[in-house]
Amino acid sequence: MCGRIANTLPTDAMARLFAAAPANDLPPTPDYNICPTNPVHSVSVTGGQRRLSAMRWGFLPHWYASPTDGPLLINARAETIAQKPAFAAACRERRCLIPATGFYEWTKDTEGNRLPWFIRHTDDTPLAFAGIWQDWGQADDRLTTCAIVTCAANTPMSRIHHRMPVIVAPEDWPLWLGEAGHGAATLMRAAPDDALTFWRVDPRVNSNRASGPDLIEPFGD
C-alpha cells in the first residue's frame, strides 16, 4: 500500500531527471504530506515526448458518474492489475512514473495508536513509482487521474506493511513508459531488500493538514 507521499524535488530538477517537458500547472514543491485526491507530479509519454504533468491521485474509471461514485482507487495491485476492469486498459496503454522523495506507512502500538514511518531510498536518490493513468469526465469537468501500482513487500518493508509501491529503477523507465517495447509486467516486483531505509516520524503526519520538513525527521526511540 502507499497512502501518503513526500516530494521535495524542484520542478526543473524533475524535468531534467526524467528528460520530460514540464507543464505549466504543476503542484508546488516541496510538499511533505501529499494525500489522496491531491495533484501529484507524473511522467508520461504523449506523441513520443515525455511530459511532466499534474494528475489527481485517485484513479477514476470512465464509468464513474462523479469522482465520488465509487471507491477511491489510489493503488492498483500488481497481481491483478491486468484483469481488473478498472485498470486493465490503463495497464496496457497508459503507464506513468510518479516521482517522490519518499512515502509514509503506518504500524500500530499495543494501544492501537497509528505510528507513522517515512521510507526513502537508502542512497537518498529520488523514487519513481510505477503508475497508471486515466482521463475522466468531459470539458470543464475533465480530470487526469492516476494510481500507484503496489506489490508484496520485500523482507525489511514487511516489518511495517505487507504491501509496498512498485519502484522503477532509472534503467527501466523506458520499458515502463512503453518506449522500449513490451515486457513492463516484469517490472512489477518489490525493490531489493537493501534499496530502502525507514524510520519513525512525528504522528502529526496522521493529519492531512500537517506540513513542513519536520514531518520526515526521525521521531522517538
Side-chain angles (χ1 to χ4, degrees):
M1 160 140 201
C2 181
R4 296 279 183 87
I5 303 170
N7 189 357
T8 65
L9 301 168
T11 294
D12 57 350
M14 279 185 275
R16 289 194 303 270
L17 179 64
F18 292 95
N24 295 322
D25 60 346
L26 292 166
T29 58
D31 190 336
Y32 295 89
N33 194 10
I34 303 170
C35 304
T37 74
N38 289 166
V40 295
H41 292 79
S42 68
V43 178
S44 58
V45 175
T46 304
Q49 170 71 53
R50 287 189 188 180
R51 301 189 183 278
L52 179 66
S53 60
M55 295 185 182
R56 175 194 187 266
W57 185 17
F59 190 96
L60 296 177
H62 65 83
W63 60 80
Y64 275 24
S66 74
T68 58
D69 195 38
L72 182 60
L73 304 175
I74 63 170
N75 296 150
R77 295 175 67 94
E79 298 87 345
T80 57
I81 192 172
Q83 291 79 43
K84 291 286 187 181
F87 302 136
C91 181
R92 292 192 304 271
E93 305 163 7
R94 295 185 299 278
R95 297 188 298 273
C96 62
L97 296 167
I98 299 172
T101 302
F103 63 102
Y104 299 92
E105 196 51 80
W106 281 261
T107 55
K108 289 185 178 181
D109 63 17
T110 55
E111 297 177 352
N113 298 307
R114 298 178 75 229
L115 308 177
W117 299 72
F118 184 68
I119 303 105
R120 65 160 172 81
H121 263 149
T122 303
D123 61 5
D124 205 21
T125 54
L127 302 169
F129 300 139
I132 55 173
W133 64 273
Q134 167 79 49
D135 281 334
W136 177 90
Q138 301 290 330
D140 292 344
D141 293 330
R142 191 174 184 85
L143 294 171
T144 300
T145 69
C146 66
I148 294 172
V149 182
T150 68
C151 62
N154 62 21
T155 299
M157 275 294 301
S158 66
R159 293 169 43 198
I160 302 175
H161 199 276
H162 66 286
R163 306 289 297 176
M164 66 181 295
V166 171
I167 298 167
V168 184
E171 62 269 22
D172 294 323
W173 293 347
L175 185 56
W176 184 255
L177 292 174
E179 300 168 321
H182 301 290
T186 63
L187 304 178
M188 293 191 289
R189 59 182 185 269
D193 284 355
D194 62 353
L196 302 175
T197 187
F198 45 85
W199 55 83
R200 280 276 315 282
V201 292
D202 196 322
R204 279 202 317 115
V205 79
N206 293 352
S207 168
N208 59 14
R209 295 184 178 87
S211 63
D214 56 308
L215 293 181
I216 66 172
E217 294 299 320
F219 177 85
D221 296 334

